Amino acid sequence: MPNKGRRVKQRDGQEEEEEDVPVKQMKVVNGSVPLCFDSPRDFFQSLISPVGLDEFFQHYWEQKPLVLHRSDPDLASYYGSLFQLSDVKQLCARGLRYATDLNVCRCVDGKKKVLNKAGKVKFSQLKKDLEERRATIQLHQPQRFKDELWRIQERLECFFGSLVGSNIYITPQASQGLPPHYDDVEVLILQLEGKKHWRLYQPTVPLAREYSLEPEDRIGPPTHDFILQPGDLLYFPRGTIHQADTPAGVERSTHLTLSTYQNTSWGDFMLDVIPGCVFDCMSRDLQMRSGLPRNLLTAPSWGPDINKQVCAFLRRLADGLERDDHELRSTAMKRDFISHRLPPFLLDQAQLEPAGKPPSLEDTVCIRFKEHLLLTLEPSQDNTDEATELVVFVLHSLRNKRETHMMGTSDEDEDEDEDEEEEIVSQGLRFPSSHLAALKQLLRGDGVPAAQLQLLQDADKVGLLLGLWSEGLLQVQTP
C-alpha cells in the first residue's frame, strides 16, 4: 500500500481493555447484517468477531497476522455493498484524477509498473486497463465518497484514537497489482468481492516505521498462504511483508484496506511530551537555565563531558516526573490527530449546531461529541511582556472536512502553512489553565450540575458553559 494518502508532509494506544462483553445484536438494514455501530468498542468487537477484544490485543495486535474465514452470506453481502466497480464508474463522472485519487498499476517481474494517464480519469480507459492490460485499480481514501465507509472509519478512529485511512483495490484475474512490500501501519483487509490469494512473510523490520519493497529472493517462504473470500477479514502488523494476487478463473477481486497507527509509537509519544517536561523543569531548575559552554554549537564534535551532562539532566528529569507525579502534556500528536481525523458521522449537518437552550447555573449539562473532543495544556503564544503561562485548548473535529480526509496538503496549501496554528485553534476554544479541572469534570461525567463545576467564580462557570455550548459541544440535560 505505497499510497495511503496521509498529508503530504506525510509519507501515506490501545485503550485499557475491559472484561469482554457479548456483542450486541446487529441491526438488519436492507436485508443485510451490518456491523454494530452502537459504540467504537462494540464496532471493533463486531468487526473481528468471533475473536474477542482481549484475545486480539493479547495475541495478535503488533505480534502476528489474524485470518478470519467467515462463510457468512449476510456479512458477505454487506461487505459487497461497501464498494463495487460500478462505484468507480460513478466517481469518474464526478471528476477523479490520476495519482491524486486513483492509481492504475501492475506487478511485472517483481516490480510495480504504474500505468496512469494524465489528468482526469475516464472510466472507458480504466475498464480497458482492467480487462485488457490486467491492471489493478487502486482508489485512495474512498471514505470521501461512500457514506458507509465514512461511518466505519469514524468508528475506528474513535476506537484507536488514531487516524484511519483506506484504499480500494480492484484486481482482474490472474494478475497482481503490487510487488512484495511492507507498510508502516497496522492493516485490516476486508474482502468485498471475488477471491484474493495472499502470501505473508516474516518481517525483516518488525513494527516498521516506513514503507519498503522487499525482493522475493530476500523474504524466504511465506508464513501464511491462503485465499480470502467475500466476508473474510485479515489483520497483520506493520512491517509484515505481503503480496496478493487474483487467481485465474476469478473475474476480479475487490478488497478494502484499512490502515492505522502510523507514527503512533512510544517513541513518537516521547518526542511529543519531553519538550514540555524540559520546559517545566527549566522553570524550577537553575542549572538547566545556566548557559552552554562557549562555542559549543560551533565545535566540530562534542566530548564525553557533554554526554555526561545531558545524561545527568535526563536522570533529574525522570526523577522529577516520578517524584512529583508530573502530568505529561501531549500537544503535537493531539493536534495532528484532531485536525486531520474524520468529522462525526452525520448526514444532517444541522446536528452540529448548538443544541437546545443556552445553559445556566441551574442546569445539569453534558458534553456532546465527547469522542471528537480533546484537551491540550500548552504555553500561551501571546506576545506580551509577562512570563509565559499555560493555557487550555479545547480542540474538536466537528468542522473537519470529510472530502479531504487523509488526502494531504496540496501545493496551493503550502503557502498557508504559517497560518496552520490559527486554523487549528479556530476548530476549538481557549481557556485559562484554571479551567482545566472543570473541563476534565465535564469530560468524565455524563451529567454535571453547572453550579458544581470546579471553578471559584460563577461568572467563569457561565463563560465556560456558554463557550462550549456555542461551539456545539455542550447541551442542557432534560429532566
Side-chain angles (χ1 to χ4, degrees):
M1 296 168 302
N3 189 333
K4 291 179 287 295
R6 184 134 176 183
R7 45 210 175 285
V8 165
K9 304 178 184 172
Q10 88 170 352
R11 242 230 352 91
D12 198 342
Q14 172 185 352
E15 60 187 37
E16 183 177 352
E17 292 304 328
E18 305 169 13
E19 184 177 352
D20 271 338
V21 295
V23 179
K24 297 183 180 179
Q25 180 64 37
M26 299 180 186
K27 301 173 184 177
V28 177
V29 178
N30 296 328
S32 64
V33 182
L35 305 167
C36 178
F37 291 88
D38 291 350
S39 73
R41 180 186 174 87
D42 289 336
F43 173 75
F44 191 72
Q45 173 62 89
S46 66
L47 185 68
I48 63 171
S49 178
V51 174
L53 288 175
D54 285 345
E55 180 184 357
F56 177 77
F57 284 107
Q58 288 175 10
H59 299 292
Y60 296 98
W61 179 254
E62 293 190 330
Q63 298 172 64
K64 62 182 181 181
L66 170 66
V67 185
L68 294 177
H69 298 294
R70 262 63 176 272
S71 300
D72 183 337
D74 292 323
L75 191 58
S77 176
Y78 172 68
Y79 275 23
S81 71
L82 295 177
F83 202 93
Q84 301 173 1
L85 182 61
S86 58
D87 292 310
V88 180
K89 182 176 183 180
Q90 295 177 14
L91 293 178
C92 286
R94 293 170 54 177
L96 293 181
R97 302 190 71 85
Y98 284 104
T100 302
D101 300 302
L102 179 149
N103 279 334
V104 179
C105 56
R106 187 181 176 194
C107 178
V108 179
D109 297 328
K111 296 182 180 180
K112 177 183 175 181
K113 184 176 182 180
V114 178
L115 305 174
N116 289 352
K117 309 298 180 185
K120 292 186 178 181
V121 180
K122 293 183 179 179
F123 183 74
S124 57
Q125 178 63 52
L126 207 59
K127 197 166 184 292
K128 183 177 181 180
D129 290 335
L130 184 71
E131 296 175 350
E132 298 181 11
R133 306 180 74 179
R134 293 193 297 162
T136 289
I137 299 171
Q138 179 193 38
L139 179 68
H140 309 319
Q141 311 306 338
Q143 71 277 8
R144 295 177 292 149
F145 314 111
K146 294 284 286 187
D147 291 339
E148 194 67 5
L149 296 181
W150 172 18
R151 188 184 185 198
I152 286 172
Q153 289 176 238
E154 187 261 356
R155 291 287 83 184
L156 287 175
E157 288 189 336
C158 289
F159 180 73
F160 286 110
S162 177
L163 295 174
V164 175
S166 70
N167 281 326
I168 289 287
Y169 292 88
I170 304 176
T171 303
Q173 65 173 321
S175 183
Q176 181 170 330
L178 301 175
H181 66 281
Y182 60 79
D183 298 290
D184 58 347
V185 285
E186 301 296 305
V187 173
L188 289 162
I189 304 290
L190 278 60
Q191 185 67 24
L192 310 186
E193 174 190 30
K195 297 179 181 181
K196 181 64 68 75
H197 173 218
W198 285 85
R199 285 167 286 170
L200 311 182
Y201 304 81
Q202 191 71 25
T204 54
V205 184
L207 302 182
R209 287 183 53 79
E210 59 185 2
Y211 165 87
S212 180
L213 297 175
E214 283 285 22
E216 288 208 53
D217 58 4
R218 289 184 51 192
I219 61 181
T223 58
H224 298 72
D225 191 322
F226 55 91
I227 290 179
L228 291 185
Q229 302 191 60
D232 291 347
L233 179 142
L234 164 66
Y235 158 79
F236 53 82
R238 54 195 187 276
T240 302
I241 302 167
H242 56 280
Q243 61 178 325
D245 62 90
T246 301
V250 177
E251 181 181 3
R252 62 176 174 266
S253 164
T254 303
H255 77 260
L256 169 69
T257 296
L258 299 165
S259 57
T260 190
Y261 256 60
Q262 187 182 50
N263 300 332
T264 314
S265 68
W266 276 109
D268 295 301
F269 183 71
M270 290 174 67
L271 288 172
D272 188 25
V273 301
I274 286 180
C277 295
V278 174
F279 177 87
D280 294 341
C281 187
M282 289 176 67
S283 67
R284 60 181 183 270
D285 189 322
L286 177 62
Q287 193 170 356
M288 287 276 282
R289 300 199 301 272
S290 63
L292 292 171
R294 288 182 299 105
N295 294 320
L296 176 66
L297 299 182
T298 58
S301 62
W302 299 331
D305 288 345
I306 299 301
N307 286 359
K308 289 180 180 179
Q309 184 62 67
V310 171
C311 288
F313 282 136
L314 291 174
R315 291 190 189 98
R316 286 158 63 180
L317 193 66
D319 290 342
L321 285 175
E322 290 186 338
R323 181 180 61 252
D324 302 332
D325 193 25
H326 183 81
E327 183 171 352
L328 297 172
R329 301 198 309 270
S330 170
T331 300
M333 289 183 74
K334 283 188 173 184
R335 284 183 173 273
D336 180 78
F337 174 51
I338 203 70
S339 61
H340 293 99
R341 66 178 297 189
L342 282 163
F345 176 73
L346 293 172
L347 299 181
D348 182 1
Q349 295 302 300
Q351 293 175 258
L352 298 176
E353 299 303 317
K357 73 180 187 70
S360 68
L361 290 178
E362 291 73 36
D363 295 317
T364 296
V365 297
C366 61
I367 293 292
R368 304 174 70 213
F369 306 110
K370 190 178 295 186
E371 295 160 345
H372 286 264
L373 181 153
L374 56 79
L375 308 177
T376 67
L377 183 65
E378 52 196 280
S380 170
Q381 300 299 315
D382 290 343
N383 296 318
T384 69
D385 294 331
E386 301 176 0
T388 302
E389 63 177 5
L390 294 175
V391 294
V392 183
F393 287 100
V394 180
L395 303 176
H396 63 81
S397 56
L398 270 61
R399 310 290 183 262
N400 288 2
K401 295 185 181 298
R402 165 204 181 186
E403 294 78 11
T404 59
H405 180 245
M406 299 293 285
M407 286 302 293
T409 305
S410 68
D411 293 338
E412 296 177 358
D413 293 334
E414 291 294 335
D415 296 335
E416 300 176 7
D417 282 350
E418 61 188 33
D419 298 325
E420 184 175 350
E421 182 72 16
E422 287 87 355
E423 291 174 4
I424 293 176
V425 172
S426 71
Q427 298 180 46
L429 301 166
R430 168 179 160 165
F431 296 100
S433 59
S434 58
H435 287 49
L436 180 60
L439 285 164
K440 289 182 177 180
Q441 184 183 2
L442 288 168
L443 283 172
R444 289 170 179 156
D446 293 328
V448 177
Q452 296 180 17
L453 285 174
Q454 297 175 21
L455 284 166
L456 295 177
Q457 303 295 325
D458 285 349
D460 289 338
K461 297 175 183 178
V462 173
L464 173 63
L465 295 175
L466 288 176
L468 295 171
W469 176 81
S470 63
E471 195 77 1
L473 299 174
L474 181 139
Q475 68 183 10
V476 173
Q477 279 191 343
T478 56

